[in-house]
């Protein structure tokens, strides 16, 4: 269970980091930024489906040594990804404002 939660958490954090890094010089909290490009969303969908398969399909559970995780633990995984995104986005906004003040 711990291995499954760790891997799922890392994948969730990578997905949220992708949305952060796409707009490194501006806010990621606009409709335009969220829409992004089709390739970003296709990548997120493929990674999410693969992660769900590794987590919940018995043959893949055997291969990867994973277990199905309860719904609330899944929400915790997503919450950690959201928290990371919030921290990164806050740091970016502080950095951008400091750069504006220096200019």
């Amino acid at each position: 269970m711990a291995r499954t939660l760790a891997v799922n958490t890392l994948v969730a954090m990578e997905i949220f980091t992708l949305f952060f890094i796409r707009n490194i010089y501006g806010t990621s909290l606009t409709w335009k930024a969220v829409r992004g490009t089709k390739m970003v969303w296709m990548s997120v969908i493929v990674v999410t489906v693969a992660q769900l398969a590794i987590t919940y399909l018995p043959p893949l559970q055997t291969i990867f040594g994973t277990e199905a995780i309860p719904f609330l633990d899944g929400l915790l995984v997503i919450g950690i990804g959201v928290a990371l995104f919030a921290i990164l986005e806050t740091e970016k906004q502080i950095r951008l404002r400091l750069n504006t003040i220096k200019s």
Side-chain angles (χ1 to χ4, degrees):
M1 177 67 77
R3 178 184 305 139
T4 307
L5 285 171
V7 169
N8 279 291
T9 302
L10 287 172
V11 169
M13 290 167 50
E14 289 294 332
I15 289 171
F16 282 99
T17 300
L18 171 65
F19 286 103
F20 159 76
I21 202 74
R22 281 196 71 252
N23 299 294
I24 194 73
Y25 298 111
T27 183
S28 300
L29 301 173
T30 65
W31 181 244
K32 182 179 178 183
V34 170
R35 282 190 10 239
T37 60
K38 287 182 182 179
M39 286 306 291
V40 168
W41 281 105
M42 286 174 46
S43 299
V44 168
I45 290 167
V46 167
V47 167
T48 301
V49 168
Q51 196 60 38
L52 290 171
I54 289 170
T55 303
Y56 294 106
L57 293 179
L60 294 179
Q61 287 175 331
T62 302
I63 292 169
F64 291 101
T66 59
E67 296 179 22
I69 58 174
F71 180 74
L72 291 178
D73 288 342
L75 290 179
L76 177 62
V77 166
I78 294 169
I80 291 170
V82 170
L84 173 68
F85 179 80
I87 291 166
L88 293 173
E89 191 65 23
T90 300
E91 180 274 330
K92 178 174 42 173
Q93 294 307 314
I94 291 169
R95 182 175 30 84
L96 292 173
R97 287 202 174 100
L98 289 175
N99 285 339
T100 303
I101 292 170
K102 290 179 184 178
S103 299

